[in-house]
Amino acid sequence: MIELARQFGRYGYRRIAALLRDAGWSVSDGRVERLWRREGLKVPAKQPKKGRLWLNDGSCVRLRPEYRNHVWSYDFVHCRTDDGKVFRTLNILDEHSRECLAIKVQRKLNSADVIDALTDLFILRGAPKYIRSDNGPEFVAKAVRDWITAVGAKTAYIEPGSPWENGYCESFNGRMRDELLNGEVFYSLREAQILIEEWRKHYNTKRPHSALGYKPPAPETIIPMDQRPTMH
């Protein structure tokens, strides 16, 4: 437990308990909490609750995902390498599964980069029904809107001044900054690309997610040796 807490310093005891059970330990959340407090470990503060934007007709602006590929969202995060130069990440999420579909890391990102990243994902996974995005200039570029429409998806733009409407991306961006970006020194853009991709894979396959019953969004599937096809 202490080793996991040291390795994942921003995880609380419930997430650590889920990792222990995943590793084969038979422990309850309550037992891990008692040990956690006995060892003097700190529980990260809970994030404040976010509200919803309700319209006069009683409808809610926020679109709730109902299945995989129903709603994807994407957003930018800014960071710097050790030399002070800025780089940006383009984070793309499936809101239902909470899986991080891709993180593109470059010094500069524009609408063409958004289209390139989405094109790759559409080829691999098919087009989602909706794509939720910010109201910033990178996202409302005519080329992006036209392309999304052409491939059969719909856009769900966010009203200015309403960050809670993109709560899934906002939450993910906060986790990424808290658990990775704030604790790493990136000496080059290439190092940032490698470490961020490693973290994305860990987030998808290992990191317990509270909204998913402390299971990872896309756990790895291992085929037992006796069930694997034999070569002839």
Side-chain angles (χ1 to χ4, degrees), residues 8-190:
F8 305 109
R10 297 299 300 168
Y11 285 10
Y13 71 87
R14 289 189 180 88
R15 198 161 270 123
I16 295 297
L19 287 175
L20 287 170
R21 286 192 290 269
D22 187 59
W25 293 84
S26 179
V27 291
S28 65
D29 286 358
R31 184 181 180 188
V32 172
E33 182 184 16
R34 289 192 296 274
L35 293 171
W36 182 274
R37 296 189 184 281
R38 191 186 73 184
E39 295 298 327
L41 298 171
K42 299 291 185 181
V43 179
K46 292 183 178 179
Q47 287 191 330
K49 294 182 178 179
K50 297 185 175 77
R52 303 287 185 270
L53 184 62
W54 293 91
L55 303 182
N56 291 333
D57 62 1
S59 64
C60 183
V61 172
R62 184 170 177 178
L63 178 68
R64 290 186 174 277
E66 298 175 0
Y67 49 84
R68 283 180 182 269
N69 276 11
H70 183 204
V71 184
W72 291 1
S73 59
Y74 57 98
D75 199 4
F76 285 147
V77 170
H78 297 254
C79 196
R80 295 178 184 271
T81 45
D82 189 52
D83 57 9
K85 293 181 180 178
V86 174
F87 68 85
R88 307 175 85 188
T89 74
L90 170 65
N91 302 341
I92 306 176
L93 306 178
D94 183 310
E95 294 191 359
H96 184 266
S97 68
R98 305 301 208 274
E99 182 180 359
C100 177
L101 305 178
I103 302 179
K104 190 164 187 172
V105 183
Q106 296 292 347
R107 291 293 183 190
K108 296 180 179 180
L109 290 165
N110 54 33
S111 58
D113 296 305
V114 175
I115 291 174
D116 286 345
L118 289 174
T119 298
D120 291 342
L121 290 173
F122 280 24
I123 292 171
L124 290 172
R125 297 170 177 266
K129 187 169 183 179
Y130 292 95
I131 297 180
R132 191 197 309 274
S133 58
D134 204 313
N135 214 9
E138 297 92 348
F139 299 112
V140 297
K142 187 174 185 299
V144 177
R145 292 201 305 270
D146 291 348
W147 180 83
I148 289 174
T149 301
V151 296
K154 297 178 182 178
T155 53
Y157 287 109
I158 296 163
E159 291 297 318
S162 303
W164 55 80
E165 286 187 68
N166 204 9
Y168 298 99
C169 246
E170 291 288 329
S171 177
F172 176 84
N173 293 347
R175 295 284 180 263
M176 178 179 174
R177 191 171 292 282
D178 189 42
E179 296 173 11
L180 175 68
L181 301 182
N182 288 347
E184 290 284 351
V185 176
F186 302 109
Y187 291 102
S188 67
L189 180 66
R190 182 58 182 156

Side-chain angles (χ1 to χ4, degrees), residues 195-210:
L195 292 177
I196 289 172
E197 179 60 17
E198 287 180 352
W199 182 84
R200 185 187 74 86
K201 291 177 179 177
H202 169 81
Y203 178 91
N204 285 338
T205 62
K206 299 293 185 183
R207 182 188 183 278
H209 199 298
S210 58

